[in-house]
Amino acid sequence: MTTQTPLAQKQAAAAPRPAPRTARRPGIRGHRPWTPWLYLLPALAVIGGLLVYPVYQLGLISFLEYTQAQVSGGEPTSFKGFGNYTALFADPQFRQVLLATVLFAAACVVTTLAVGCALAVLLTRVRALPRLVLMLAALGAWATPAITGSTVWVFLFDPDFGPVNKLLGLGDFSWTYGRYSAFALVLLEVVWCSFPFVMVTVYAGIKAIPSEVLEAAALDGASQWRIWRTVMAPMLRPILVVVTIQSIIWDFKVFTQIYVMTNGGGIAGQNLVLNVYAYQKAFASSEYSLGSAIGVVMLLILLAVTLVYLRLLRRQGEEL
């Protein structure tokens, strides 16, 4: 039996040891760049069937002459190119409806965000029982179908039987007769069924903010409004981006509330928005190609608004 000298022991200890070999499991292959797409393939197939193909058909019909005569087979389908879009933008009613839709959607988005953010902050200030009651009430409004909520609001503001006019002493005032009062009534219903999403999302974001940050701002003497403006809002910006884009998409394509509460667009179409206008063109007038063209215009507007908003945030260095 041989013994090593102290010098040999030190050299052996200082020598680098070989890295341990990891045993490869049988059946596991190396990473492939297309492997993630295999997991996404089922979802992409569903999205392609439910979204891409209908959008393709919508765009195709918008370039054709497609009316009831073509649907019934009485006349052949012909290609019109951009003729439908030219006729659409030359129509003064379309331009009026487009402007009304943009202004109405903007008012709905701003009001929804204001109400939702204010109630989210309120939830952080009240006790557990009032917070639970407010959350249940908001979720109940959120879960109510649009047609049901619209019918209830029409009854509440009915000039003959509605309790709102009696409480306010307005007599037989008709909210749906005037253009602006009808839009205001629909706006209230849209905000009522939309603010819970903003409230719950922003409340979750506020709860994720470290309490030390809010306490430090309060100790510095900042008011609640200043704490929201200078502390909460910058930290919640990615969440606010999500709820803003969602609200723009939802409010820009409002259909049910306008159709139910104004009886198809109001007197002489004074409360028409693009979705209702497209429905009238496609199904009431059987001009399916014009209705499809309106749908394509709406899609392009929503895509443009979303991309511009995201680009502005990227320029400011925000990560979504």
Side-chain angles (χ1 to χ4, degrees):
M1 182 174 180
T2 60
T3 58
Q4 293 182 347
T5 63
L7 179 60
Q9 292 177 356
K10 291 182 180 180
Q11 291 177 350
R17 297 181 179 180
R21 298 180 61 183
T22 57
R24 294 186 59 184
R25 297 181 181 178
I28 297 181
R29 300 180 179 178
H31 175 71
R32 299 290 188 272
W34 42 264
T35 301
W37 293 100
L38 292 179
Y39 295 100
L40 294 175
L41 188 60
L44 292 177
V46 174
I47 292 176
L50 297 179
L51 180 63
V52 177
Y53 182 73
V55 170
Y56 163 74
Q57 287 292 334
L58 184 73
L60 178 62
I61 294 176
S62 69
F63 289 103
L64 303 176
E65 176 69 27
Y66 200 71
T67 62
Q68 188 61 39
Q70 283 75 28
V71 172
S72 61
E75 296 181 7
T77 302
S78 59
F79 182 75
K80 291 188 63 176
F82 289 96
N84 291 320
Y85 294 94
T86 303
L88 196 63
F89 283 97
D91 185 5
Q93 186 181 15
F94 170 75
R95 297 196 297 268
Q96 180 183 358
V97 172
L98 176 61
L99 178 61
T101 304
V102 171
L103 296 177
F104 176 74
C108 289
V109 170
V110 172
T111 309
T112 302
L113 292 177
V115 173
C117 292
L119 291 178
V121 176
L122 178 63
L123 287 176
T124 63
R125 302 296 176 185
V126 298
R127 295 182 180 274
L129 183 58
R131 180 167 60 248
L132 178 62
V133 173
L134 180 57
M135 291 282 285
L136 292 177
L139 293 177
W142 193 14
T144 303
I147 188 169
T148 304
S150 301
T151 305
V152 171
W153 275 75
V154 169
F155 169 75
L156 292 175
F157 289 84
D158 185 84
D160 298 321
F161 306 103
V164 175
N165 281 12
K166 295 180 180 179
L167 291 175
L168 299 178
L170 296 178
D172 58 350
F173 175 76
S174 177
W175 290 82
T176 57
Y177 183 79
R179 183 186 186 192
Y180 298 106
S181 61
F183 270 128
L185 181 60
V186 177
L187 182 144
L188 292 176
E189 201 279 335
V190 171
V191 172
W192 174 76
C193 65
S194 301
F195 84 86
F197 170 75
V198 179
M199 183 190 72
V200 172
T201 307
V202 175
Y203 173 71
I206 293 176
K207 297 300 290 183
I209 298 176
S211 58
E212 296 82 3
V213 177
L214 302 178
E215 292 175 359
L219 290 176
D220 288 339
S223 62
Q224 293 298 325
W225 166 246
R226 189 171 182 182
I227 292 176
W228 166 261
R229 183 172 55 88
T230 60
V231 179
M232 290 185 179
M235 299 183 72
L236 295 174
R237 186 165 296 177
I239 294 178
L240 294 176
V241 170
V242 173
V243 297
T244 300
I245 294 176
Q246 288 282 3
S247 299
I248 290 174
I249 294 174
W250 289 342
D251 297 339
F252 192 81
K253 59 184 186 65
V254 166
F255 174 83
T256 305
Q257 291 88 341
I258 289 286
Y259 194 84
V260 172
M261 300 179 71
T262 64
N263 196 20
I267 300 174
Q270 63 181 1
N271 296 112
L272 283 175
V273 293
L274 283 179
N275 241 352
V276 180
Y277 187 61
Y279 175 82
Q280 289 187 354
K281 285 292 184 181
F283 298 102
S285 302
S286 298
E287 297 179 354
Y288 304 105
S289 52
L290 285 179
S292 300
I294 297 173
V296 172
V297 171
M298 292 180 61
L299 176 63
L300 294 178
I301 291 175
L302 290 176
L303 285 177
V305 170
T306 303
L307 292 177
V308 169
Y309 198 17
L310 294 177
R311 187 174 182 181
L312 290 176
L313 291 174
R314 290 291 179 89
R315 285 183 178 178
Q316 296 175 2
E318 297 291 339
E319 294 183 1
L320 302 180

